[in-house]
Amino acid sequence: MSDVPKDPCAAAVGAGAVDCTIVLQQLWEYLDSELGADGMHAIRTHLALCSKCYPQYDFEKGFLEAIADCRCTTCAPNDVRCHVIEALRRAGFCPDERAGAVNQ
Ligand SMILES: [Zn+2]
Protein backbone atom coordinates (compact mmCIF):
# COMPACT_ATOMS: atom_id res chain seq x y z
CA MET A 1 0.00 0.00 0.00
CA SER A 2 1.13 3.54 -0.67
CA ASP A 3 0.68 6.66 1.44
CA VAL A 4 0.42 8.78 -1.69
CA PRO A 5 -3.15 10.00 -2.17
CA LYS A 6 -4.82 8.37 -5.10
CA ASP A 7 -5.33 10.57 -8.14
CA PRO A 8 -9.06 11.39 -8.21
CA CYS A 9 -8.99 11.01 -11.97
CA ALA A 10 -7.13 7.73 -12.02
CA ALA A 11 -10.34 5.76 -12.24
CA ALA A 12 -11.35 7.81 -15.27
CA VAL A 13 -8.20 7.04 -17.22
CA GLY A 14 -8.03 3.57 -18.60
CA ALA A 15 -6.90 1.93 -21.77
CA GLY A 16 -8.09 4.03 -24.68
CA ALA A 17 -9.74 6.58 -22.41
CA VAL A 18 -9.12 10.30 -22.61
CA ASP A 19 -7.34 12.13 -19.82
CA CYS A 20 -8.50 15.23 -17.96
CA THR A 21 -6.58 17.65 -20.17
CA ILE A 22 -8.31 16.39 -23.31
CA VAL A 23 -11.70 16.36 -21.59
CA LEU A 24 -11.36 19.95 -20.43
CA GLN A 25 -10.14 21.07 -23.86
CA GLN A 26 -13.13 19.45 -25.58
CA LEU A 27 -15.83 20.26 -23.04
CA TRP A 28 -17.50 23.04 -25.06
CA GLU A 29 -17.59 20.86 -28.16
CA TYR A 30 -19.02 18.03 -26.05
CA LEU A 31 -21.74 20.30 -24.67
CA ASP A 32 -22.59 21.39 -28.22
CA SER A 33 -22.63 17.74 -29.36
CA GLU A 34 -19.95 18.57 -31.91
CA LEU A 35 -17.76 15.54 -31.25
CA GLY A 36 -18.14 12.28 -33.10
CA ALA A 37 -19.86 9.32 -31.49
CA ASP A 38 -16.57 7.93 -30.15
CA GLY A 39 -15.52 11.32 -28.77
CA MET A 40 -18.91 11.89 -27.14
CA HIS A 41 -18.77 8.44 -25.57
CA ALA A 42 -15.20 8.91 -24.30
CA ILE A 43 -15.99 12.27 -22.70
CA ARG A 44 -19.29 11.04 -21.23
CA THR A 45 -17.57 8.02 -19.72
CA HIS A 46 -14.78 10.16 -18.29
CA LEU A 47 -17.23 12.65 -16.76
CA ALA A 48 -19.15 9.84 -15.11
CA LEU A 49 -15.98 8.73 -13.31
CA CYS A 50 -13.90 11.85 -12.78
CA SER A 51 -14.55 14.05 -9.76
CA LYS A 52 -12.11 16.65 -11.09
CA CYS A 53 -13.73 17.24 -14.48
CA TYR A 54 -17.40 16.87 -13.57
CA PRO A 55 -17.63 20.19 -11.66
CA GLN A 56 -16.19 22.01 -14.69
CA TYR A 57 -18.70 20.23 -16.93
CA ASP A 58 -21.51 21.14 -14.53
CA PHE A 59 -20.41 24.80 -14.52
CA GLU A 60 -20.14 25.05 -18.30
CA LYS A 61 -23.48 23.29 -18.79
CA GLY A 62 -25.12 25.70 -16.33
CA PHE A 63 -23.47 28.64 -18.10
CA LEU A 64 -24.91 27.58 -21.46
CA GLU A 65 -28.35 27.07 -19.91
CA ALA A 66 -28.21 30.55 -18.34
CA ILE A 67 -27.29 32.07 -21.70
CA ALA A 68 -30.15 30.19 -23.36
CA ASP A 69 -32.58 31.44 -20.69
CA CYS A 70 -31.57 35.05 -21.45
CA ARG A 71 -32.33 34.69 -25.15
CA CYS A 72 -34.94 37.13 -26.34
CA THR A 73 -38.14 35.33 -27.21
CA THR A 74 -40.31 38.31 -28.05
CA CYS A 75 -40.13 40.83 -30.83
CA ALA A 76 -39.75 44.53 -30.25
CA PRO A 77 -43.03 46.51 -30.25
CA ASN A 78 -44.06 47.63 -33.71
CA ASP A 79 -43.44 51.34 -33.01
CA VAL A 80 -39.85 50.57 -31.99
CA ARG A 81 -39.38 48.52 -35.15
CA CYS A 82 -40.74 51.44 -37.22
CA HIS A 83 -38.31 53.90 -35.58
CA VAL A 84 -35.36 51.59 -36.26
CA ILE A 85 -36.37 51.01 -39.87
CA GLU A 86 -36.89 54.73 -40.45
CA ALA A 87 -33.48 55.47 -38.92
CA LEU A 88 -31.93 52.86 -41.23
CA ARG A 89 -33.69 54.47 -44.21
CA ARG A 90 -32.38 57.92 -43.27
CA ALA A 91 -28.88 56.43 -42.98
CA GLY A 92 -29.10 55.13 -46.53
CA PHE A 93 -30.15 51.56 -45.90
CA CYS A 94 -33.24 50.21 -47.58
CA PRO A 95 -34.85 47.50 -45.49
CA ASP A 96 -36.69 44.89 -47.48
CA GLU A 97 -40.27 46.15 -47.76
CA ARG A 98 -41.49 42.61 -48.48
CA ALA A 99 -40.68 41.58 -44.93
CA GLY A 100 -43.96 43.16 -43.86
CA ALA A 101 -42.48 44.15 -40.53
CA VAL A 102 -43.69 47.72 -40.78
CA ASN A 103 -47.32 48.65 -40.80
CA GLN A 104 -47.42 52.30 -41.67
ZN1 LIG B 1 -10.97 14.21 -15.42
Side-chain angles (χ1 to χ4, degrees):
M1 283 231 227
S2 170
D3 293 335
V4 177
K6 192 173 183 177
D7 180 357
C9 299
V13 180
V18 292
D19 66 15
C20 295
T21 302
I22 299 297
V23 170
L24 295 176
Q25 286 174 345
Q26 296 184 337
L27 211 42
W28 291 113
E29 288 87 352
Y30 173 77
L31 286 165
D32 289 337
S33 300
E34 293 176 348
L35 301 174
D38 291 345
M40 293 295 288
H41 176 74
I43 303 280
R44 186 180 313 112
T45 300
H46 183 97
L47 290 171
L49 300 172
C50 182
S51 61
K52 178 181 170 189
C53 293
Y54 188 84
Q56 185 66 27
Y57 159 77
D58 199 38
F59 169 79
E60 292 183 17
K61 183 172 179 271
F63 179 80
L64 289 178
E65 289 170 354
I67 295 291
D69 288 346
C70 294
R71 186 177 40 218
C72 180
T73 56
T74 58
C75 294
N78 199 42
D79 60 330
V80 172
R81 296 167 61 106
C82 289
H83 287 302
V84 170
I85 289 172
E86 184 56 33
L88 289 170
R89 236 183 235 130
R90 283 194 307 268
F93 296 98
C94 297
D96 187 355
E97 294 292 337
R98 293 172 295 170
V102 179
N103 299 324
Q104 294 184 359

